[in-house]
Amino acid sequence: MKLVILIWATLLGAHAEDSCVYKDIREYKKKLFSSNPVLDQVKLQKDATNSFVDKAKQRPNPALEFEYTRGDDFGLDTNNYDLKLLHVIEMGGKRSARMEQALARAKLESNQYDLYGSRKGLENLLKYQRGAQLEVLVKAMQEAIETFRSIIKKLESRKRLNPEEKVSLSTLKLALNDYTARLNDFKNEQDVLAGEVAFMGECKKLKFNYTPIKYPNIGVLELSEKQGMAAIEENKVEVARKLLKQEKSLAYPDLMVGPIVGYETKGADEFVSAGIGITFNAPFLNTNYGGKLQASKNLLAQQKTAKNNISLLKRKLNNQLKVYHQSLKTYQAMPSLSKIAKFHNEAEQLFRRGVVSIPMIIESHRQYVDYMDSRFETENDILNALMEIYIITGKKKLIEKLFN
């Protein structure tokens, strides 16, 4: 019975993966931001960071010492037994410093994993959109190739061609070969993207469907040191600061305190003794000066690095905002794909009626494909700039409204 259930569950899982279909980028986004292999990986990695604090909380185990000596005291056998149980008392706030350093490190790595997961998710959204763009370009290329082949077939079926028709035939063949090569490039690029997008969408096969997107207008954005990449730079400084505190705590020796029990026999006599033992390393040779110096210099270096990186992030944010606004302005001024398709279809009808010459129909197809490629390139500039702005600032509202 268990075997039947296992086989049935396996078949259902395989069917679910095979039948996974996203009608557009909106559905793909919902899936991507709710569950994907990288997101699952990030969750496990973030859970692992919690162990930093658990490890730092651990106290040293007590030391158990036992000594036995045997001797002779003027003909009498002597036996000495000493048992010590020494508890380690960490001085100088070592445990609290260790825990604070672990907390700072856990926060840093958790934020880094979140940033990594966000970037991977956004990159795959862009890859889906690029794959959908290529779907449009592939269809346009196939239409042009079909048209060129039809015209070539007609011209080659004629017994005689005038000089203009001969040039047109040669031009058409060159255009056909060029479009066939470009079609191959588009298909290869789409196949590569399909594999990556299907992996993140947990599908074996994925069909792209292009959907026009209304991109948001972004106003003035200030870089906050509590979000995004700037927050990570501050986290790194905090880790370095806590490490310095930890190195300072190591300047104090630990105490080992505990009871001592002794038992001695001398001939027929027995003696029992008890007391307390205190052990510590005398700080005569060093007080961890080297460790404190290294941590102090590391903190200064990290503070300078963070200051430089945050300054660079501010410049990068301004540049990306400029790219976004310029590209969006250009994109909004460009005719939509539906309008261009309408113009193109009108040109096709005129050609079929014999009103438009062969060179003009070649140029019409070239302009049609090149325009769409240029429009998509502008759209990708918008998407890439938006992704970088989100990664830098960490403002989720920029992405939450996108593809909705």
Side-chain angles (χ1 to χ4, degrees):
M1 183 65 181
K2 290 182 179 179
L3 180 60
V4 172
I5 293 173
L6 180 62
I7 294 172
W8 180 248
T10 304
L11 290 173
L12 282 176
H15 176 70
E17 189 172 90
D18 283 334
S19 61
C20 179
V21 177
Y22 304 106
K23 68 178 183 180
D24 57 24
I25 196 169
R26 294 179 178 88
E27 282 195 0
Y28 183 67
K29 177 197 170 185
K30 289 179 182 178
K31 160 62 181 170
L32 201 62
F33 281 77
S34 62
S35 174
N36 67 68
V38 172
L39 193 60
D40 296 340
Q41 169 193 324
V42 166
K43 287 179 181 178
L44 292 173
Q45 289 171 323
K46 288 181 68 176
D47 288 342
T49 61
N50 295 330
S51 62
F52 296 159
V53 181
D54 294 331
K55 183 179 179 181
K57 286 180 180 178
Q58 295 178 145
R59 298 181 184 273
N61 289 318
L64 181 64
E65 294 185 14
F66 175 76
E67 292 182 4
Y68 167 70
T69 58
R70 181 183 178 123
D72 180 83
D73 187 7
F74 299 103
L76 294 175
D77 291 334
T78 61
N79 295 279
N80 291 287
Y81 305 86
D82 291 304
L83 182 65
K84 300 178 183 178
L85 182 62
L86 301 177
H87 177 68
V88 180
I89 301 176
E90 296 182 280
M91 304 297 291
K94 288 186 181 68
R95 184 169 179 267
S96 62
R98 188 169 63 243
M99 289 171 59
E100 288 178 16
Q101 201 273 339
L103 279 168
R105 182 185 166 200
K107 185 177 180 181
L108 168 63
E109 294 202 10
S110 179
N111 287 341
Q112 287 177 325
Y113 289 137
D114 281 337
L115 188 67
Y116 172 77
S118 298
R119 180 176 285 278
K120 282 295 180 182
L122 290 172
E123 285 176 350
N124 271 272
L125 273 179
L126 268 61
K127 287 175 181 177
Y128 180 97
Q129 190 69 353
R130 177 55 183 165
Q133 293 169 355
L134 288 167
E135 186 70 21
V136 176
L137 289 170
V138 164
K139 289 179 181 178
M141 280 291 187
Q142 289 172 338
E143 178 196 327
I145 289 171
E146 184 180 345
T147 300
F148 293 165
R149 283 175 176 167
S150 175
I151 299 171
I152 289 172
K153 186 177 180 180
K154 287 180 180 179
L155 289 175
E156 288 182 336
S157 65
R158 297 177 183 177
K159 293 182 180 180
R160 297 184 63 181
L161 298 174
N162 59 42
E164 183 180 347
E165 289 173 336
K166 288 180 180 180
V167 173
S168 296
L169 180 60
S170 300
T171 304
L172 277 168
K173 288 181 178 180
L174 289 174
L176 176 62
N177 289 326
D178 177 46
Y179 275 46
T180 302
R182 291 179 67 183
L183 175 62
N184 180 67
D185 291 340
F186 287 153
K187 284 185 174 181
N188 288 342
E189 184 183 354
Q190 190 181 46
D191 287 341
V192 172
L193 292 173
E196 297 178 24
V197 172
F199 168 74
M200 290 292 285
E202 298 178 298
C203 301
K204 285 188 177 179
K205 292 182 180 180
L206 188 143
K207 186 177 180 181
F208 292 106
N209 183 31
Y210 181 78
T211 304
I213 301 167
K214 185 178 181 180
Y215 294 100
N217 291 316
I218 302 176
V220 178
L221 289 178
E222 295 293 335
L223 186 66
S224 171
E225 295 180 3
K226 295 181 180 180
Q227 290 179 292
M229 295 179 70
I232 288 178
E233 293 300 325
E234 289 298 319
N235 291 156
K236 290 178 180 178
V237 172
E238 188 64 16
V239 169
R241 187 177 289 114
K242 296 302 181 183
L243 182 60
L244 175 59
K245 184 177 179 180
Q246 187 178 5
E247 290 295 335
K248 286 180 178 180
S249 70
L250 295 177
Y252 299 88
D254 295 336
L255 291 180
M256 299 184 71
V257 182
I260 301 174
V261 178
Y263 175 72
E264 181 181 356
T265 63
K266 184 182 291 186
D269 298 326
E270 297 180 356
F271 306 92
V272 178
S273 60
I276 187 169
I278 300 176
T279 303
F280 65 92
N281 296 323
F284 296 151
L285 299 180
N286 79 80
T287 55
N288 197 34
Y289 173 77
K292 290 185 288 185
L293 181 62
Q294 182 183 21
S296 178
K297 289 184 176 181
N298 180 63
L299 175 58
L300 290 174
Q302 191 61 58
Q303 287 174 330
K304 182 62 176 177
T305 301
K307 183 179 179 182
N308 289 342
N309 287 344
I310 290 174
S311 178
L312 186 62
L313 285 172
K314 289 178 180 178
R315 292 175 180 269
K316 187 175 180 181
L317 175 60
N318 290 332
N319 290 336
Q320 290 297 332
L321 284 169
K322 186 177 179 181
V323 169
Y324 182 82
H325 290 141
Q326 288 177 342
S327 299
L328 182 60
K329 184 178 179 181
T330 302
Y331 183 78
Q332 290 174 339
M334 299 174 83
S336 65
L337 293 182
S338 59
K339 286 184 179 180
I340 295 301
K342 182 181 178 181
F343 296 154
H344 179 71
N345 290 334
E346 289 175 355
E348 283 283 323
Q349 291 174 5
L350 290 173
F351 173 74
R352 291 191 186 98
R353 287 163 52 191
V355 179
V356 179
S357 65
I358 292 174
M360 284 302 298
I361 198 64
I362 295 173
E363 180 63 17
S364 174
H365 279 286
R366 187 186 68 79
Q367 288 287 349
Y368 182 50
V369 173
D370 287 352
Y371 173 78
M372 286 193 296
D373 202 14
S374 178
R375 180 183 169 85
F376 291 149
E377 187 176 346
T378 304
E379 183 180 32
N380 292 336
D381 288 340
I382 295 171
L383 285 168
N384 279 299
L386 191 61
M387 180 183 73
E388 292 300 328
I389 291 168
Y390 168 72
I391 294 298
I392 292 171
T393 62
K395 295 186 182 297
K396 293 184 178 181
K397 64 180 182 180
L398 295 175
I399 303 302
E400 289 172 352
K401 294 180 180 179
L402 194 64
F403 308 122
N404 286 333

